[in-house]
């Protein structure tokens, strides 16, 4: 059965991952799955049998690594500002923002396991971030949000269209919007400016290449 409480979800994560440093952000330590941890070997069918959603929180995806790298290298992007880490997964981007001096961070993801992963990973890095499992797309972005960070969000067409419309509205309302993307098929081709490009190590278990050319973009005004 899927763990029903935050404490049980934390225990599950600790039992099925190990603390390690993503190759592109070695300053950060995250509880992640790899070939020596149990969850790595679970198939989609096995996950469904135990009632576990796909564990996106258990991996440091290329888009998130690139965006976290950019924030760490360019702290002025978030320093002293109020930040949303949209579709936070492991929390790597929000944690990087706190390390870079953000005033506060709201990490949001509809998978409740992400809240447990964020709590454990933030603790491992000596920072704190708030968490919400509310679907932020159901309403305009909060007026207080000064920066919205989104890593690897363009892997499905309908969701990409919905997310980009929400982010575009937030940009028009005054928030800065940064997106990390490793060349996903549905990433928009206009209305953005490239800020940086990285070669991010990943794994063939997750991606089509062991190193993904991954860019960080900002939505144009």
């Amino acid at each position: 059965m899927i763990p029903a409480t935050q404490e049980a979800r934390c225990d599950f994560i600790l039992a099925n991952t190990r603390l390690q440093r993503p190759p592109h952000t070695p300053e950060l330590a995250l509880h992640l799955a790899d070939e020596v941890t149990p969850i790595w070997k679970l198939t989609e069918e096995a996950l469904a049998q135990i009632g576990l959603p796909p564990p996106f929180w258990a991996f440091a995806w290329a888009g998130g690594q690139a965006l976290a790298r950019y924030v760490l290298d360019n702290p002025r992007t978030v320093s002293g500002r109020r930040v949303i880490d949209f579709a936070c997964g492991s929390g790597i981007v929000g944690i990087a923002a706190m390390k870079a001096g953000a005033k506060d961070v709201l990490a949001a993801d509809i998978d409740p396991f992400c809240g447990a992963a964020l709590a454990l990973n933030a603790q491992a890095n000596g920072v704190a971030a708030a968490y919400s499992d509310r679907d932020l797309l159901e309403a305009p972005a909060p007026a207080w949000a000064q920066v919205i960070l989104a890593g690897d969000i363009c892997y499905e067409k309908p969701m990409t269209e919905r997310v980009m419309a929400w982010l575009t509205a937030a940009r028009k309302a005054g928030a800065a919007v940064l997106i990390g993307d490793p060349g996903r098929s549905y990433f928009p081709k206009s209305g953005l400016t490239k800020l940086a490009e990285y070669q991010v190590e990943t794994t063939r278990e997750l991606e089509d290449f062991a190193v993904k050319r991954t860019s960080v973009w900002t939505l144009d005004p």
Side-chain angles (χ1 to χ4, degrees), residues 109-147:
D109 202 296
I110 59 173
D111 182 354
F113 267 89
C114 295
L118 173 71
L120 292 170
N121 291 332
Q123 182 181 41
N125 289 277
V127 299
Y131 171 75
S132 174
D133 63 0
R134 183 170 61 88
D135 185 353
L136 297 188
L137 300 181
E138 293 180 346
W144 54 259
Q146 296 172 289
V147 182

Side-chain angles (χ1 to χ4, degrees), residues 30-79:
L30 303 174
H31 294 272
L32 302 173
D34 60 18
E35 65 274 7
V36 301
T37 55
I39 202 171
W40 184 267
K41 300 177 178 64
L42 293 178
T43 64
E44 187 173 346
E45 181 179 346
L47 290 168
Q49 287 176 354
I50 63 175
L52 186 69
F56 296 121
W57 48 266
F59 304 99
W61 299 88
Q65 286 197 62
L67 187 51
R69 178 75 270 151
Y70 183 85
V71 167
L72 290 168
D73 290 345
N74 299 273
R76 67 184 182 280
T77 303
V78 298
S79 182

Side-chain angles (χ1 to χ4, degrees), residues 76-89:
R76 67 184 182 280
T77 303
V78 298
S79 182
R81 307 176 82 182
R82 307 192 71 187
V83 176
I84 292 177
D85 176 7
F86 179 82
C88 65

Side-chain angles (χ1 to χ4, degrees), residues 163-221:
V163 172
M164 290 306 301
W166 185 82
L167 292 174
T168 298
R171 182 70 187 94
K172 289 179 179 178
V177 176
L178 276 69
I179 303 171
D181 184 82
R184 300 293 182 209
S185 298
Y186 302 111
F187 188 73
K189 302 296 192 293
S190 62
L192 301 106
T193 298
K194 185 186 290 188
L195 300 177
E197 184 175 290
Y198 305 100
Q199 299 294 323
V200 181
E201 289 183 41
T202 179
T203 169
R204 292 297 295 272
E205 296 291 332
L206 297 176
E207 302 283 6
D208 48 353
F209 295 100
V211 177
K212 291 285 288 185
R213 186 173 67 180
T214 306
S215 300
V216 173
W217 304 79
T218 183
L219 275 182
D220 296 333

